[in-house]
Amino acid sequence: MSTSPRRFPLLIAALLGVVVLGLAFLGLRPSRAPTVEAAAPAASAPGAGRTITHAQGSTVVAPHPKQVLVFDLAALDTLDALGVEVRGVAGEYFPGPLAKYADAKKYPRFGTLFEPDYEAVHAARPDLIITGGRTSARYAKLAAMAPTIDQTTDDAHYLDTVVGNTERLATVFGKEDQARALIGGLRQSIEALKGTTSTRGKGLIVLTSGGRMSAYGPGSRFGVLHESFGIPPAAPSLKASLHGEAIGSEFILETNPDWLFVIDRDAAIGEGGGAQRLLDNELVRQTTAWKQGQVVYLDPADTYLIGGGIQSVRRLLEQISDAYAKPRQPPAP
Amino acid sequence: MPTRSPDSPLLPEPAFALPGPRGPLPLLALAGLGVLVLAGTSLLIGVSRVSWDALLAPAEHPRALQVLVISRVPRTLALVLAGMSLGVAGLIMQMLARNRFVEPFTAGTAESASLGLLVVTLLAPGIPILARTAVAAGFSMAGTALFLLILRRIPLRSALVVPVVGLVLGAIFDAATTFFAYRFSLLQSLMAWTTGDFSSVLRGRYELLWGAFVLTVLAYVVADRFTVAGMGEAFTTNLGLSHPRIVALGLAIVAMVTAVVVATVGMIPFIGLVVPNVVSLIVGDNARRAIPWVAVLGAGFVLLCDVVGRVVRQPYEIPVGTVAGVVGSLVFLHLLFRRDSRVG
């Protein structure tokens, strides 16, 4: 079947348009090229390792590993606090507090959190690989290449695992003193916060993404607010689920929380956040939280992306403490 | 100018010449009543307690009336408008492509609209919703035009080739969207805004859908042209009409409706596919007769899916896109097994 020649240019124009669009897009972003320098031979003394137990079993790790690859932002955050230098990182996006790792010259990239660049990892001959959260599903494959420890946090025992993860890294790198100070400070601040939160009303955690909302309760990935920071849940029936429960504004109106904690997922990944626009509606405006100015936009990087690093938990805690420390606004008329 | 023969095997019996009754009107009234009942149910279902008692005594239950006006009525209207316009868009697409398996979600229309939305989000995240929708409409128009152009260039041996082409094209747009969403870490946001979901519909946040309604009315006004276009290009030209112009008009309506719906509430699959097929079983292929039916049943379908999604896990929700996918695929399979002799 043939086409009249008149239509030909139209089709070509359409195809051309698609190609131009594609090229324009490719130009938007510098091509990523995780150049891996010639790998230094692993400098571990065999037989001198110690056994480290972690979320996915136990691993023999050489003392004072130098060539460390990190596939977890939370672990990166904790290592940063402990003052441990790393050989390489993974991912494309290093939010605020971890911005220094975005320097690909200093910290070469080994794929993304979900898809490690196995060949680069293999060529780098690391002494230690650290996985967690988003990369934990790739643990087995990475563990076959080099000693690997997994730092996944358990949402049901969030704070315990954050502490445990910090202690584990401290043991591996011989930074026990620093870890003790960090953990001690965190515990103290938590106790102080608990004293205020328990008497100041109930809270609801809402994550917004792409114009939709979902609610999270105790035991969920953000449940630490209820369980460890002592904020009574406004909707205790919320079950723990990774992506929360889809809700509408009516749910917030009926739950009527005294505190509304908002995680703007789109802001976490660098897009102009629409959480405020989404929540500022006739229904949510009637809640106690909104009327009293007790809507807290949690730092999306610390809650959503880095969540679980010892510093990110501390920053989250500070943010909530600040919110509770502010003088109460008189109820709007 | 070489063209397909007008009696291509794609179209079943030419329904144009049917002298029969004007369609069973009492049945249409009954369906309309059913939709009203569903709409009433939709008004009363939700997290807040809104009942007739509460509404009749607004002094005691001021919140009930408020929730009704701010949340329930807009949501129900949005459901009706989206259902009507998507159903009619599906009908027009089926006539233009002369194939029963085509709808905006199997022809790359919705996928290209979604690509357009992603482009807007990346390049100009803060622009107003109207501009977003306009860009999405431009993309979906281009995508659908590409689909129809490809259809003209490939030899059609079976009715199944058409939707396969549409699915392939849609998958290509989808792949492009997913690629850029992945590169910019927008995958989850993309999923959230493309899944059909009315949970964020409130007064002031759905009104764009009235635009889709206007387009649906326009489609009804010019319905006869689509019926003629469904007979093929040569037939249309013989009647003294410009086939390309009808196609362009239909394309514009379908693309704009799809873009408006995708931009405000996300993708709702199967309405444009299932509803026109059911209607054609009842009243045949005359667009003027079919459009009221498609509008009523489309609204009913979306209402039903959303009510189910809101009831199953109260007080949480299941997005209407998910429910429509399940319900729609079941109905569609049923249709396929029932009328396999007619679709081929």
Side-chain angles (χ1 to χ4, degrees), chain B residues 91-107:
Chain B
L91 179 77
I92 297 173
M93 281 225 69
Q94 292 180 9
M95 296 203 145
L96 295 184
R98 308 180 69 205
N99 187 286
R100 293 226 167 274
F101 294 121
V102 171
E103 67 143 336
F105 296 87
T106 61

Side-chain angles (χ1 to χ4, degrees), chain A residues 74-290:
Chain A
L76 210 52
D77 182 65
T78 304
L79 289 175
D80 187 41
L82 294 174
V84 175
E85 272 303 317
V86 302
R87 161 86 164 76
V89 295
E92 302 248 324
Y93 184 63
F94 295 89
L98 298 179
K100 70 172 190 180
Y101 295 102
D103 181 1
K105 285 207 185 71
K106 207 168 163 208
Y107 301 100
R109 310 276 170 83
F110 289 82
T112 69
L113 294 175
F114 292 101
E115 280 304 325
D117 184 345
Y118 296 112
E119 300 200 3
V121 171
H122 188 75
R125 293 169 186 253
D127 302 335
L128 178 67
I129 299 173
I130 300 171
T131 63
R134 297 175 173 84
T135 318
S136 56
R138 308 277 177 265
Y139 172 82
K141 230 171 155 179
L142 289 167
M145 296 179 182
T148 305
I149 59 175
D150 186 60
Q151 296 273 92
T152 303
T153 41
D154 177 0
D155 288 337
H157 310 95
Y158 190 79
L159 197 66
D160 290 344
T161 42
V162 169
V163 168
N165 284 345
T166 307
E167 285 169 344
R168 184 178 310 114
L169 291 179
T171 313
V172 169
F173 295 98
K175 302 272 185 184
E176 284 90 345
D177 291 344
Q178 287 94 322
R180 217 167 292 134
L182 285 168
I183 295 166
L186 187 68
R187 286 234 157 97
Q188 236 170 7
S189 324
I190 288 180
E191 285 311 313
L193 179 63
K194 259 186 183 168
T196 40
T197 51
S198 54
T199 59
R200 295 280 303 275
K202 296 174 176 175
L204 179 68
I205 309 166
V206 171
L207 179 133
T208 68
S209 176
R212 320 277 195 247
M213 294 186 276
S214 40
Y216 289 79
S220 70
R221 64 199 296 184
F222 309 120
V224 62
L225 265 69
H226 298 307
E227 281 145 5
S228 303
F229 298 173
I231 301 164
S237 62
L238 274 169
K239 288 205 187 65
S241 75
L242 182 60
H243 292 291
E245 297 284 0
I247 56 158
S249 295
E250 268 186 45
F251 180 85
I252 302 179
L253 174 72
E254 281 307 308
T255 311
N256 192 19
D258 302 298
W259 292 86
L260 188 58
F261 300 97
V262 184
I263 299 149
D264 188 344
R265 196 195 165 275
D266 300 340
I269 35 123
E271 195 208 333
Q276 205 151 1
R277 235 177 309 148
L278 187 64
L279 286 168
D280 187 7
N281 64 52
E282 291 168 279
L283 295 184
V284 176
R285 266 183 239 140
Q286 296 179 37
T287 59
T288 310
W290 193 276

Side-chain angles (χ1 to χ4, degrees), chain B residues 11-18 231 285:
Chain B
L11 203 70
E13 295 301 297
F16 182 69
L18 274 184
M231 304 281 129
D285 292 327

